[in-house]
Amino acid sequence: MVPIFKRRVLLFFLFFFLFRSSVSSRPSHPLDSLSPFEIDKVANIIKASSVGDHSLTFHSVGLDEPNKPALLSWLSDPSSPKPPRRAFVVARAQRKTHEFVVDLDQDSITSHHIHRGPGYPVITLEEQTAAAALPLNHPPFLESVKKRGLDVALAVCAAYPEGWFGEKKTPKRVTRLLCFYRGETDNLYVMPLEGISIVVDLDEMKITEYFDRFIVPLPKSDGTDYRASKQKPPFGPRIKPVTVIQPEGSNIKVEGHTISWANWNFHIGFDVRAGLVLSLASIYDPEKQKFRSILYKGQVSELFVPYMDPTEEWYYRAYFDAGEYGFGQCAVPLEPQNDCPADAVFMDTYYGGPDGRPVKIENAFCIFERSPGDVAWRHTEIGIPGEVVREVRPEVSLVVRMASVIGNYDYIIDWEFKQSGSIKVGVGLTGIVAVKAVDYTHKDQIKEDVYGTLLAENTIGVHHDHFLTFYLDLDVDGRDNSFVKMKMQTRRVTESKIPRKSYWTSVAETARTEADARIQLGQDMAADLVVTNPNKKTKVGNDHGYRLITGPPTASLLLDDDYPQMRAAFTKHQVWVTPYNRSERWAAGLYTDQGRGDDNLAVWNLRNREIENKDIVLWYVMGFHHIPSQEDFPIMPTLSGGFELRPTNFFEYNLILKTKPPVSKHHLHNSSRGGLHHP
């Protein structure tokens, strides 16, 4: 037996280390994502509750964001009470969807609600994997593969959401399976086993429907492998490495999850559904000698991807990548020197797995300085006799990047901060185009609508859309903001002595309600869309503001009574404005999988609430209509788009007027890049 004294010493050190571990795992900022310690704690508290039986699975374990006024009050005065630390959890147990709020300070459940309406939570990766394995032991599937003359060992299946098509009763929680063949390539998506339809009940985890309607030739695998080791001559040109030299080290400062760079300061977090969440972005104004608020929170809210093939095996393919798959759950590690520069700062993150245990994503974010060779501003003056005056400032910015892989597509999201005060959001689409196997080997054979482009023999790249909805809670110099449409109007010159006949001017129109702020780009005459603070003005009297510079006007072309469009009604307008509501975060509703579109941004907007001089949220829907081409095959070069939030009368003058030009140092070796690795 261990002597009493020694046992006491051992217990003392045990409690000491547990206490130290607990303290060290407590996030220092109220908006920090849940730590692994906290995820474990939340899971254990719920497992100890009345629903904690063998059927319990966790679908979302994340931060229950603190009350906004309380958080802002604490940030302005750290001596005031710190907002309570809570978690919001969506779980399934006894075939019911449960919502929990867990108080991490009190180690207790403060709220428990059963969702009884339509729709289901995000499908976990483990459920997708389990469902995809079922056909490999299903005799009808084995027979289907055999009659196609293929080896079942090379067949691979994947889970895809079922959607909703007008059912009155709440449907079972199911998923569809699509199957592919690997052959001699790892590019399995280009070799679909067309004609096979499989439905899986996710609660029972068994196949409930199976159809094999027809057989078409399997597309060839030759030339479809994208791995470098599999490429054959002739090769393209080799580009010599290009690097950015930072002889004096990095300008990036990382404290926990708070990032400082140049004149910017902001916080980054992670959500299993949204992925990267950017908060509390503020910029230092040397004129006022203080940081000024711009963006309280920005994130991806939803991604709607409808395909344009209405046939039996394809009609349901209209996906909501955030609400059904989890954009954050599908985040992948970023590869140094390929996904991000070698001197980037990398950050890991965690989410709660279906068993409640923390799942780590290494290098989920990268943060780096970008020097693309662009010009921030310049002017050459040759009008002064005998003199030439030239001043140039190079463009240097900060980028925060995340990548998410959802099935065949890879998404790259960049938040870029410029010294001028602009925030640019970039979206990149790459990966594998979804294809359909057909009989055709040449375009001349096609006499019907095949809903896409013939990319290779027996291979149709199907038409589809990508709509990304961004949640942008702008706090321009404070919470009370307005949305102003600066409309261009053509005027006729009435002065007879002037030879000009016309000109245009801008007329400001402040949106009073939500209906006033709905914008269909390309149809409305809005020229500038500005979020202003009518309570703060420049020295010459202009309202402080930030302008939304949009991408091309892309709206959904689906009919309003089409079921996928009902669920994605918010894609008919590109710009929406709502009053801040803590519960309105997901454009397609909290329960998107098999949802009916009765709880989404377009529905909330029908309340037509007042938005003038209020705490408001700007929603921007950017889109891509994708008609695939042969250059998209067998792997798609990145298709890029984005938008910009640009200061408009926010500063008294060009913020980078007084930016010091860099000192030119030639023949410097980049022996120390000054990059940081954040574990």
Side-chain angles (χ1 to χ4, degrees):
M1 295 180 62
V2 181
I4 294 177
F5 174 76
K6 289 187 177 180
R7 277 190 289 168
R8 287 177 177 174
V9 171
L10 289 172
L11 285 172
F12 170 80
F13 280 107
L14 175 62
F15 284 123
F16 171 78
F17 285 117
L18 287 174
F19 174 78
R20 189 175 69 173
S21 174
S22 172
V23 171
S24 65
S25 62
R26 291 174 185 169
S28 59
H29 196 288
L31 292 181
D32 283 356
S33 306
L34 296 185
S35 68
F37 174 82
E38 290 177 316
I39 293 171
D40 263 330
K41 178 191 281 192
V42 168
N44 290 333
I45 290 171
I46 293 176
K47 287 176 180 178
S49 73
S50 60
V51 300
D53 64 13
H54 69 279
S55 69
L56 176 65
T57 57
F58 294 88
H59 293 258
S60 176
V61 181
L63 177 68
D64 187 38
E65 291 190 359
N67 176 272
K68 184 176 178 180
L71 175 62
L72 293 176
S73 175
W74 179 79
L75 290 171
S76 62
D77 179 14
S79 65
S80 63
K82 193 173 184 178
R85 185 80 173 161
R86 297 190 178 110
F88 178 71
V89 178
V90 177
R92 291 277 293 171
Q94 297 99 36
R95 301 192 181 186
K96 296 178 181 178
T97 300
H98 298 258
E99 299 173 10
F100 297 92
V101 175
V102 177
D103 190 315
L104 287 161
D105 297 324
Q106 302 297 323
D107 294 351
S108 64
I109 296 172
T110 60
S111 173
H112 175 208
H113 169 72
I114 297 177
H115 170 68
R116 302 188 187 279
Y120 296 104
V122 169
I123 305 170
T124 69
L125 293 178
E126 285 73 10
E127 286 177 322
Q128 294 176 46
T129 300
L134 294 175
L136 303 181
N137 294 304
H138 190 59
F141 179 74
L142 301 180
E143 179 61 29
S144 293
V145 174
K146 181 180 179 181
K147 71 181 181 182
R148 286 167 169 78
L150 303 174
D151 182 358
V152 72
L154 296 177
V156 179
C157 298
Y160 293 80
E162 165 75 3
W164 173 77
F165 292 91
E167 299 89 348
K168 300 299 182 183
K169 294 175 62 177
T170 299
K172 291 184 177 181
R173 185 167 172 264
V174 300
T175 190
R176 294 261 188 165
L177 297 183
L178 302 178
C179 298
F180 310 90
Y181 197 69
R182 287 184 62 188
E184 297 178 0
T185 176
D186 271 2
N187 193 349
L188 59 97
Y189 292 108
V190 302
M191 301 179 70
L193 299 179
E194 210 69 53
I196 298 174
S197 295
I198 308 173
V199 177
V200 171
D201 185 315
L202 287 171
D203 287 328
E204 295 186 7
M205 199 52 71
K206 71 176 185 180
I207 294 173
T208 57
E209 294 181 33
Y210 185 89
F211 299 98
D212 187 355
R213 291 186 175 87
F214 57 86
I215 297 176
V216 295
L218 188 71
K220 298 175 182 178
S221 63
D222 293 348
T224 64
D225 204 310
Y226 48 79
R227 292 173 293 176
S229 61
K230 299 295 182 179
Q231 303 312 305
K232 300 176 182 178
F235 296 108
R238 181 182 182 275
I239 302 298
K240 296 178 181 178
V242 177
T243 60
V244 176
I245 297 175
Q246 291 184 287
E248 298 179 36
S250 173
N251 296 295
I252 303 169
K253 295 180 180 179
V254 179
E255 294 184 8
H257 290 85
T258 298
I259 312 299
S260 299
W261 175 83
N263 44 3
W264 283 99
N265 186 273
F266 56 90
H267 181 276
I268 58 175
F270 178 82
D271 180 86
V272 72
R273 182 162 173 173
L276 175 65
V277 179
L278 193 141
S279 304
L280 302 175
S282 62
I283 192 166
Y284 186 77
D285 185 342
E287 184 78 14
K288 297 183 181 295
Q289 296 190 352
K290 67 175 184 179
F291 278 93
R292 300 169 64 190
S293 65
I294 296 171
L295 183 68
Y296 180 77
K297 183 167 73 173
Q299 63 168 68
V300 170
S301 179
E302 192 52 79
L303 298 91
F304 176 51
V305 187
Y307 283 83
M308 300 300 137
D309 186 334
T311 58
E312 184 68 30
E313 281 70 32
W314 277 77
Y315 74 88
Y316 64 90
R317 303 188 197 190
Y319 307 128
F320 293 79
D321 286 347
E324 293 172 335
Y325 285 107
F327 196 61
Q329 179 179 237
C330 296
V332 293
L334 296 168
E335 186 175 316
Q337 300 189 61
N338 288 318
D339 283 315
C340 311
D343 56 353
V345 177
F346 287 87
M347 282 189 171
D348 305 333
T349 194
Y350 295 84
Y351 68 91
D355 59 355
R357 301 278 79 85
V359 177
K360 183 179 182 180
I361 305 175
E362 294 186 350
N363 293 357
F365 310 139
C366 73
I367 307 159
F368 60 91
E369 294 174 276
R370 173 181 283 165
S371 181
D374 294 336
V375 175
W377 65 263
R378 78 168 329 278
H379 182 62
T380 299
E381 182 56 68
I382 59 175
I384 302 173
E387 291 188 49
V388 175
V389 178
R390 181 175 64 248
E391 284 285 327
V392 183
R393 297 292 183 272
E395 181 77 84
V396 180
S397 59
L398 181 75
V399 177
V400 183
R401 175 170 293 167
M402 190 197 91
S404 186
V405 177
I406 302 175
N408 49 301
Y409 261 103
D410 294 50
Y411 293 91
I412 304 151
I413 306 294
D414 284 356
W415 291 80
E416 181 177 6
F417 296 84
K418 293 180 172 291
Q419 296 179 73
S420 61
S422 281
I423 302 174
K424 293 187 72 174
V425 178
V427 174
L429 280 64
T430 180
I432 316 297
V433 172
V435 301
K436 178 179 182 177
V438 294
D439 289 318
Y440 306 113
T441 58
H442 194 280
K443 184 179 178 182
D444 291 347
Q445 300 169 341
I446 301 174
K447 307 299 180 184
E448 59 184 342
D449 192 346
V450 292
Y451 317 110
T453 305
L454 189 66
L455 304 180
E457 291 184 4
N458 308 115
T459 305
I460 294 286
V462 179
H463 297 152
H464 59 282
D465 295 326
H466 299 265
F467 292 104
L468 293 92
T469 302
F470 284 85
Y471 174 101
L472 304 164
D473 182 2
L474 286 159
D475 281 359
V476 178
D477 247 352
R479 291 179 61 193
D480 294 334
N481 290 175
S482 294
F483 181 69
V484 178
K485 294 181 279 188
M486 302 292 294
K487 290 190 172 182
M488 290 182 177
Q489 292 185 357
T490 301
R491 299 277 176 86
R492 178 169 290 279
V493 177
T494 57
E495 176 57 56
S496 59
K497 295 180 181 180
I498 302 297
R500 280 285 298 271
K501 300 298 182 183
S502 63
Y503 67 100
W504 64 260
T505 189
S506 62
V507 177
E509 179 183 297
T510 300
R512 302 180 65 85
T513 66
E514 291 176 277
D516 297 335
R518 296 178 202 138
I519 303 291
Q520 280 189 308
L521 299 174
Q523 296 185 24
D524 293 327
M525 292 300 293
D528 277 359
L529 307 174
V530 186
V531 175
T532 69
N533 187 329
N535 314 294
K536 305 282 182 69
K537 300 183 184 298
T538 62
K539 292 177 181 178
V540 297
N542 293 312
D543 291 347
H544 295 172
Y546 258 75
R547 178 176 17 150
L548 171 66
I549 301 177
T550 66
T554 306
S556 176
L557 301 176
L558 299 179
L559 297 177
D560 291 342
D561 63 350
D562 195 359
Y563 293 106
Q565 185 57 46
M566 291 180 186
R567 302 170 66 206
F570 49 89
T571 59
K572 285 291 182 177
H573 293 78
Q574 292 82 40
V575 179
W576 307 74
V577 179
T578 60
Y580 172 80
N581 184 321
R582 188 167 171 269
S583 67
E584 295 177 2
R585 182 178 178 186
W586 309 111
L590 179 59
Y591 296 104
T592 307
D593 182 35
Q594 297 180 246
R596 301 179 181 180
D598 53 359
D599 176 33
N600 64 27
L601 172 58
V603 173
W604 310 330
N605 204 255
L606 293 175
R607 285 177 277 180
N608 203 24
R609 296 161 290 186
E610 293 185 0
I611 58 172
E612 185 177 8
N613 204 11
K614 305 279 187 185
D615 189 358
I616 58 177
V617 175
L618 177 69
W619 305 75
Y620 176 56
V621 183
M622 62 172 295
F624 303 82
H625 294 309
H626 192 177
I627 300 175
S629 64
Q630 287 187 244
E631 289 80 4
D632 294 330
F633 188 83
I635 191 163
M636 177 180 162
T638 300
L639 176 64
S640 300
F643 63 94
E644 181 177 353
L645 298 171
R646 186 180 180 94
T648 301
N649 301 317
F650 188 80
F651 301 106
E652 295 293 336
Y653 49 79
N654 177 359
L655 184 62
I656 49 176
L657 170 67
K658 299 180 182 181
T659 300
K660 296 179 180 179
V663 177
S664 178
K665 296 183 178 181
H666 299 288
H667 308 299
L668 284 174
H669 295 285
N670 193 13
S671 58
S672 175
R673 295 183 179 275
L676 304 175
H677 182 85
H678 184 88

